[in-house]
Amino acid sequence: MFSIVIPLYNESQNILNLIDEIKLSLKNYKNYEIVLVDDKSTDETLKIIGEIKGHNIKIIKNHENKGQSFSIHLGISKSLNKIIITLDGDGQNDPSNISDMIEIFENGYDMVSGWRKNRKDSSLSRVLPSIIANYIISKITGVSLHDYGCTLKAYKKDVIKDIKLYGEMHRFIPIYACWEGAKVTEIEVNHSKRYYGKSKYGISRIPKVLLDLMVVKFFDKLIS
């Protein structure tokens, strides 16, 4: 029915709890798979996920550290189902929102993007830069979303199967989808504080995001 793609980098302290939460939240669903993509972690992440039991667990390992976008792209390419759910491996995304997203597809949408309206991160280093970046992205692309950076998203695989991801491109998938005529919506999702491990995000990523945004806009002009 659907595939859950989770990119992982040094999430040994979080991944088992996350898997348990997913299974509990989706206990009424049977036909789904969990695709775990380890991005050359330097901790025990790969070992731990290798010990997870379950016929619906698929493990993919990168031989080099390629980044989140590459890991998401790889996970999508190896997924079996027609609907793809992506979420972070740090436990801050709430798996209970997955069922909410699945239901929205019944209303004719091709993609559902999560909005962390009540975000549990540092206001100065994470939330404020995110607000600025989301405003700039929405203005430049004409695709208005509150939270491009939320990894918790749901897609019809046919809409995104030909999109090549690199850099910070995973956050721009809604833009590509809209430009291709997909019907995109946004819903509020729960967000939790990170309890273990170190965040890989922060204000230092904004220049990379804006550079990728310029590339996205450049290709749009070439195509249009």
Side-chain angles (χ1 to χ4, degrees), residues 19-37:
I19 295 297
D20 287 343
E21 288 180 12
I22 291 172
K23 291 180 178 180
L24 181 62
S25 298
L26 302 177
K27 61 183 178 181
N28 294 326
Y29 295 88
K30 294 183 178 179
N31 300 320
Y32 72 91
E33 64 174 351
I34 301 174
V35 183
L36 304 172
V37 185

Side-chain angles (χ1 to χ4, degrees), residues 67-80:
Q68 188 177 18
S69 287
F70 180 89
S71 296
I72 290 175
H73 175 74
L74 182 60
I76 291 172
S77 70
K78 301 296 184 180
S79 298
L80 299 176

Side-chain angles (χ1 to χ4, degrees), residues 32-218:
Y32 72 91
E33 64 174 351
I34 301 174
V35 183
L36 304 172
V37 185
D38 180 69
D39 193 26
K40 193 65 174 178
S41 293
T42 58
D43 65 357
E44 296 293 306
T45 298
L46 186 58
K47 177 183 177 182
I48 289 172
I49 63 176
E51 296 172 352
I52 297 175
K53 307 298 182 183
H55 68 280
N56 62 338
I57 301 291
K58 182 179 293 182
I59 297 172
I60 303 169
K61 60 178 181 179
N62 292 340
H63 295 289
E64 298 178 35
N65 181 255
K66 295 282 192 177
Q68 188 177 18
S69 287
F70 180 89
S71 296
I72 290 175
H73 175 74
L74 182 60
I76 291 172
S77 70
K78 301 296 184 180
S79 298
L80 299 176
N81 296 306
K82 294 182 179 180
I83 292 178
I84 306 293
I85 312 293
T86 59
L87 75 160
D88 285 325
D90 56 17
Q92 291 188 260
N93 294 144
D94 186 352
S96 68
N97 291 127
I98 292 176
S99 58
D100 300 327
M101 292 180 158
I102 296 297
E103 291 178 4
I104 288 180
F105 284 110
E106 298 176 2
N107 297 322
Y109 287 97
D110 301 300
M111 176 182 168
V112 186
S113 184
W115 172 20
R116 300 164 293 181
K117 187 174 182 179
N118 297 307
R119 189 171 173 178
K120 308 302 182 182
D121 287 318
S122 168
S123 296
L124 183 60
S125 64
R126 301 285 300 280
V127 178
L128 181 58
S130 178
I131 291 173
I132 295 172
N134 288 315
Y135 175 81
I136 294 172
I137 294 169
S138 295
K139 284 295 182 181
I140 291 178
T141 64
V143 180
S144 182
L145 291 178
H146 290 90
D147 192 0
Y148 274 96
C150 182
T151 302
L152 180 53
K153 292 181 173 69
Y155 319 87
K156 288 183 179 177
K157 191 173 184 180
D158 287 344
V159 173
I160 61 171
K161 63 182 180 180
D162 295 325
I163 296 175
K164 305 300 181 184
L165 301 178
Y166 60 91
E168 302 293 331
M169 290 295 190
H170 64 277
R171 68 184 67 239
F172 298 136
I173 293 177
I175 298 170
Y176 290 115
C178 279
W179 287 348
E180 292 298 320
K183 191 175 180 182
V184 177
T185 191
E186 185 178 43
I187 65 169
E188 293 181 23
V189 295
N190 302 322
H191 191 246
S192 301
K193 179 181 176 182
R194 172 187 267 272
Y195 290 100
Y196 303 105
K198 184 179 179 181
S199 174
K200 290 82 180 175
Y201 310 104
I203 196 168
S204 63
R205 294 183 70 161
I206 289 183
K208 297 178 183 178
V209 173
L210 295 179
L211 179 60
D212 284 340
L213 175 61
M214 293 172 63
V215 174
V216 169
K217 193 61 179 176
F218 173 74

